[in-house]
Amino acid sequence: MGGQTPSVLEQTDRERLAAALLRQLSIGLSSYRLFPGELEQPAFKAAVRRIEKAAQDALEHGPVEAEVLGDHFELSGGVGVSDEITDRLARACYDRQAERIRVTAVPQPADLDVLYEVLSGPVEEVQQAGGPEMLLRRAGVLSVALGELAPQRVDVQELLGQREFEAYVDRWPQLADAIRLPEDVASEASPMELAKALFSRLRAVVAALPPDASPAVDLFRALQMAVASLPTDQQHLLTTMVVAQAGRDSVADGFIGTLSDTELSRLLVQVAQAEEVDPVRLAERLVARGSRGSSLIELTRSAAGSAAKEDLLQGLSSVLAPQREADAKDPAEGRIVYETVSDLLGRTLLDREQADLETLRAEFPDDEDDEAAIATAAIRDYFMQDDDLPRLEQVLANWTGAVQRALRRADAESVARLASLLVGARADAATGPPERADVFARHWLQAPYSGLLLDVIAEAKSSGTTESLVNLLRPLADAAVEGLLETLGLVTDVNDRGQLFKFLGELGPGNLEPIVRRIRGGDWERVRDAVAVLHRCGGPDAARLLEEASHHQVADVRREAVRGLIAVGGTAAVSRLRELALDQDEGVRTLAVNGLGGLVTVEAVAALAGVVETADDPLVRRTALEHIGRHPGPEAAQALERIWRMRGRGVPRSLRRLARRLLRARRGRR
Amino acid sequence: MRPPQPPREAMRTSRAFLGSLSAAHQTYRLYPDGHPNRAEVVRDLHARARSLATASRGDAVVFCTRHSFYLGPSLLSRESLSLNRLIEAFEAIGLEAVEILTSCTEADIDGFARTLVGERPMGESLGGVMLNRVRPELDPEDNDLQGLLNLLRSYAIGLDVLRETAEKVVAGEDTDLDATRRVVSGLATQVARDPSQALLVSAVKSYDEYTYYHMMNVCILSIALGHSLGLRQDQVATLGLGALLHDVGKMRVPREVLNHVGPLDQEQWRLIQRHPVEGAGLILLNDQDLIDPAAAIILEHHAAFDLSGYPKLSGRPRPSLPARLVSVADCYDAVTAKRSYRNAEEPREALAILQSGVGKGFDPVVVRTFVRLLGLFPVGSLVMLSSGEVAVVLRNHDELFARPTVRLVLDASGTPCAPEERDLSALARDGSYVWSVERSMDPTELGLDMLSVILQGEPEDEVESEGGLVHEPSFGEAPPPGYVDTHEHPGEGAAASRLDSEVSAPFGA
């Protein structure tokens, strides 16, 4: 812009964007009030996004500033912004005595949190806490500012306006002097006398002015300015008198006639506070005298804050309550009051109707996913709280059926949703009575049973979707592992078993319980399968369990355990592998010594050397020695040399020679 | 010109006759010819029939048409609602008119009862009981009445479904959720056609079958609320199903607790307060797919907006919106019903109670929308006009909340009068309103049966009854003696939630 006056078009665009920003800020306020302080609410987050976009657009034309005029805004160019959405924001500002709003940067969610908290807080509390401007500043909000009404300064501004007193604008100090009472007079008179005297002087001033000037608006603006410059007590008394005389005296009418409803409503509140009267009554009196339209009542009520609202509503309640004696006394008066109030109520509800409907419609479950989300949350709570075991059994049987149907459909989303229903309840039940825990555990584990899984896997194979089976089963965690282990026991085809091992290898980590149960069970084939699964799962728990399984009495199990220890045990498994290299089963021995040979650690060399020195099986000893020979580390050479030199200490000559050959070969290689 | 109405005593005895006939119908279906139970009900029914004939000052004719009972031209509204199975029995054999002659004998009554259960052909003469000798004459053009009767029929079917559901629940049998879905679907269609009429019907209360009527009313109110939000039909159906069954868990509460007279102890209250969990369990038992949003409504309808209610909900800041909608309708209907320990509150007072619970028990936005739906003088409530006449509110004005359309019930002298409709927003020539509401009125104050006022436009004496089920008080409702409040009330005594100050409270509490 370069400081130039914007063109008419630019101006229009700027105002449109500013109005759009105010509208989004107002919608954001409505969202915030639904869940105050909950910035992660989807509706609020969406509102923040829209505010950011609107702010970016509007701020391209510079800061956005709007004046709050009671129930609507006026932009800096004098253009009014008023619709049912922006008016809500204006009213919220107005109620908290924020007379302008200024946006200088794109507001961040934290800024909006503070802004909306201020605009949602009880009016009195906001004022007691220092007012909206102070609250925002204190919270470090720089992007948005709310201008606070400073009573003295604003009284002048309010009473003067900005534009309409050219003719008398220079005269108001003289007018003020003419109205002001000398101090000695003021100090001796009663408030009523003072008020009458001031009003009389005001009338005299008007009368003294040229006849063509008296009806002019600018005269009264100048008079207002003059009054605003009087000492506070005189200013107040005169204003009170003007309000009291309104509708009866032309000067009083002229005086308040130039005030907008908004300005007048604030004036009435100030007068009423000082005089300890109900400002709404003052407004009603002015309306009844024909000085103002009925909207003054509503504005004054709003300006007076929630206390006045309650008074009025209590009035409504008393008017409508049939048992109250007061109604019987004067029902007609009651009717007028409730009609007024019900019209206000109607207007309030109508004003908010659209926003309310939009709010509720937006939150109401819109599709099956929304409905499922609501149902899921509730059913989780139901499972946590129902302690009627027979019914729980039946509901859980339904749950099992639903899971099984979802598995057959390969509906991963439904499986996940159904599984999530029991997560909290199972954990909770586990700490409660054992019968309840058992009900949950039983149904959970039964859901993916082996026969079903065979069908599901067969279907996945035929449709080429086996890859997605793990995702389908993952939400069922240990139940899926249990089911797959059962299935493993039914399958003999090597490829099919391989596939199951693959699934189990992916699902097992974190769900070792069913595997552990099997390892500690009696049927050695089931134990063997479990051990085979375990070493595909890996992890420290797996290593520990494999070591446990390596003590199993059945050699087949021990062989699987050795394979597992080699795969997942690492250095920690060396000592057990060394023991297993001396196992009574040849297969175990061979696997163990080869396993040690595959490790490149110092400990592995030491273990192999131990095997060479102590094993009974010559083949194992030889194999161990050959592994040492292939080991790349210097410790291997040292071991070979030591074995070579072990004459008469239990190492056969053939092995010592082999050790020497291997040593020479290593040196030759170097 | 309205046809002459039967004497008031005849209306009362016709009700007793139909009640006895319903019992006879059940007995004849259950017991064979010659069983002493049959003889017993015949004796009772004969006595009622004679009373009816006497009270009618001549021969009495009970009509069954448009799925409703009439005595002459007068609708027997409550029986039309509560004796749906008897109506179906009439319809099954094409019986439209039963004329009781003063000469009727026990043998005639026995023959009539056997005709009703199909043991005897319709054509055979019975002597003192004439079947289908005359035909009902009703105005076929009265669309409003037709709509109201259709609604009434759906209401009656709904009551039957709820009774059957209760029987099955007590017997531990599976309940028929499809039947309840059909009821909701029918109601949703009728509410969409004329929401004001539906609201009018929702003002129907029953002291004896409180729970069933309450569930029906909450269903209608919730559907109307959903309709006013502009929800789709399927969304309304979801809301309606949860609303219809919201108290189904009470059917698992022992009868002796529900029928208990006098203060309940803590354990008894605990049993009553379990009904949301019980209800959710019953739905989940019967829903194969399990993921049913109706279960959420049932479980959460007492959880309260600020979660201070029961049962405790986890992992979410508020109960679901459908549950929040139903909880408002639930409170409104509960508060406006008569209980064993208190009189019914006026609708206006009920709205004030809702307002007092805003931010705590109730969602402020939902309450505002509900007030907007019902108006300052809710549809179905009684008002006194400036002319001194008493009228029932039929429809609300869109903008002038104090100026609904009403139908006259009593004239200025308190005498029942022709049911003339008045639009209170009508202006006189000088621009002033012709009529205004003076104040709202309590029907019990006048001893009026609102059902007859609503359905026929003419008042009848309130039906006296005894008993009545214990009811768990809604948020803000006056609790019964001995009530144990298990709600948490965070910040009690302090200013209500921040929202409150922004919710322009429409009514003082």
Side-chain angles (χ1 to χ4, degrees), chain A residues 108-122:
Chain A
Q108 299 304 303
D111 295 351
L112 292 170
D113 183 28
V114 177
L115 173 69
Y116 289 154
E117 190 179 355
V118 168
L119 290 180
S120 305

Side-chain angles (χ1 to χ4, degrees), chain A residues 22 66 76 92 192 218 260 295 400 458 478 510 521 547 564 583 631 653:
Chain A
L22 291 173
S76 49
M192 180 53 80
D218 50 0
S260 69
S295 61
T400 305
D478 55 329
E547 186 172 332
D583 192 275
H631 196 281
R653 192 175 175 187

Side-chain angles (χ1 to χ4, degrees), chain A residues 324-346:
Chain A
R324 306 265 168 97
E325 287 178 11
D327 299 334
K329 284 181 189 163
D330 192 356
E333 188 182 339
R335 189 169 69 241
I336 291 164
V337 177
Y338 86 66
E339 277 198 21
T340 309
V341 176
S342 66
D343 284 349
L344 291 173
L345 163 67

Side-chain angles (χ1 to χ4, degrees), chain B residues 135-212:
Chain B
R135 291 280 166 185
E137 287 180 14
L138 295 171
D139 181 3
E141 297 301 314
D142 191 343
N143 289 332
D144 267 4
L145 180 64
Q146 191 56 52
L148 211 51
L149 291 176
N150 287 341
L151 209 54
L152 199 64
R153 179 177 187 168
S154 294
Y155 199 109
I157 292 170
L159 288 174
D160 257 1
V161 166
L162 289 176
R163 288 186 197 107
E164 276 170 31
T165 303
E167 283 167 15
K168 286 181 175 169
V169 166
V170 170
E173 295 170 9
D174 288 351
T175 54
D176 184 0
L177 281 185
D178 287 339
T180 48
R181 284 197 179 94
R182 282 194 296 275
V183 168
V184 171
S185 172
L187 283 173
T189 307
Q190 281 159 352
V191 173
R193 204 171 288 149
D194 190 343
S196 291
Q197 210 167 47
L199 290 176
L200 208 55
V201 171
S202 77
V204 171
K205 312 283 178 198
S206 167
Y207 190 63
D208 295 328
E209 288 195 298
Y210 167 75
T211 304
Y212 305 144

Side-chain angles (χ1 to χ4, degrees), chain A residues 409-431:
Chain A
R409 298 196 302 272
D411 179 353
E413 204 175 315
S414 292
V415 171
R417 185 173 286 145
L418 287 161
S420 76
L421 295 178
L422 291 205
V423 172
R426 278 180 68 218
D428 185 56
T431 62

